[in-house]
Amino acid sequence: EAQVTQNPRYLITVTGKKLTVTCSQNMNHEYMSWYRQDPGLGLRQIYYSMNVEVTDKGDVPEGYKVSRKEKRNFPLILESPSPNQTSLYFCASSRTANTGELFFGEGSRLTVL
Amino acid sequence: GENVEQHPSTLSVQEGDSAVIKCTYSDSASNYFPWYKQELGKRPQLIIDIRSNVGEKKDQRIAVTLNKTAKHFSLHITETQPEDSAVYFCGAPDGGYNKLIFGAGTRLAVHP
């Protein structure tokens, strides 16, 4: 089954404690992306990757890091989480960068205390 | 870069009525306009998209229209049903930066 898998789905953490949200896709997609969803603000892009070892900033990259060492995986790293990073995070993948269907993971709800 | 505005932010209709959601974009070079539906607690999923070489596309009860001159596109849902209740997002490509920009979303409520 074609899917994008994120983990963890839910996480409560404290300010400053490093965490990683994993994302994996099995569709051999070159393009992967991370979004955060906040009420009234829609889906805002954090980082994206056009292919292995190619990553770039989205609209709200501050406080986040990513890596793309393998085609299927695109982890999101919060080196020192802060309360303003409390949000719902979605990983997505697509065959093309911005002209094709985005397949979203189930989302990861993160709370930073 | 691209800017996408979506209206209304909330929409309430009676079952069987039609619903229309409109998005405007700023980059005249944009050529792909998707609509995603997000049911409560679920992931966004593509429901319909349109490319700039056509003015309208239909899929059963949903349709999307595109006006390139005015730089806006709209989602039309006819004969609404309670299962259409969801948040709908429009999108447009920020071509120079290889990314998709989403509107802020419209929460549609269909009342039986």
Side-chain angles (χ1 to χ4, degrees), chain A residues 63-106:
Chain A
Y64 304 94
K65 287 175 59 177
V66 293
S67 68
R68 188 91 181 274
K69 293 184 171 61
E70 304 165 283
K71 197 172 188 178
R72 64 183 293 126
N73 296 324
F74 190 45
L76 179 70
I77 303 156
L78 286 73
E79 292 271 2
S80 182
S82 62
N84 65 10
Q85 293 179 296
T86 292
S87 188
L88 177 60
Y89 292 87
F90 285 100
C91 179
S93 73
S94 176
R95 196 169 50 83
T96 59
N98 56 15
T99 58
E101 181 175 2
L102 274 170
F103 293 85
F104 285 87
E106 292 186 330

Side-chain angles (χ1 to χ4, degrees), chain B:
Chain B
E2 178 69 276
N3 183 48
V4 178
E5 294 190 358
Q6 183 172 346
H7 299 281
S9 57
T10 59
L11 181 59
S12 181
V13 300
Q14 290 297 124
E15 183 176 0
D17 288 350
S18 295
V20 181
I21 305 169
K22 181 177 176 179
C23 285
T24 59
Y25 61 98
S26 60
D27 186 355
S28 58
S30 289
N31 57 3
Y32 173 70
F33 306 95
W35 285 93
Y36 286 78
K37 176 183 180 182
Q38 185 181 27
E39 296 177 359
L40 188 63
K42 301 285 183 65
R43 73 190 84 188
Q45 290 188 293
L46 180 72
I47 55 170
I48 195 168
D49 57 15
I50 191 169
R51 298 184 189 274
S52 58
N53 57 344
V54 297
E56 183 176 6
K57 183 177 179 180
K58 287 184 180 180
D59 184 1
Q60 299 183 335
R61 295 187 297 106
I62 61 172
V64 56
T65 58
L66 172 64
N67 184 326
K68 287 198 68 179
T69 303
K71 290 191 283 188
H72 66 72
F73 57 108
S74 299
L75 177 71
H76 305 255
I77 307 174
T78 59
E79 300 174 21
T80 54
Q81 300 169 5
E83 52 263 40
D84 294 329
S85 296
V87 177
Y88 293 81
F89 294 99
C90 64
D94 193 348
Y97 297 94
N98 294 311
K99 56 186 181 180
L100 193 67
I101 304 297
F102 286 98
T106 296
R107 183 174 298 278
L108 172 65
V110 181
H111 302 284

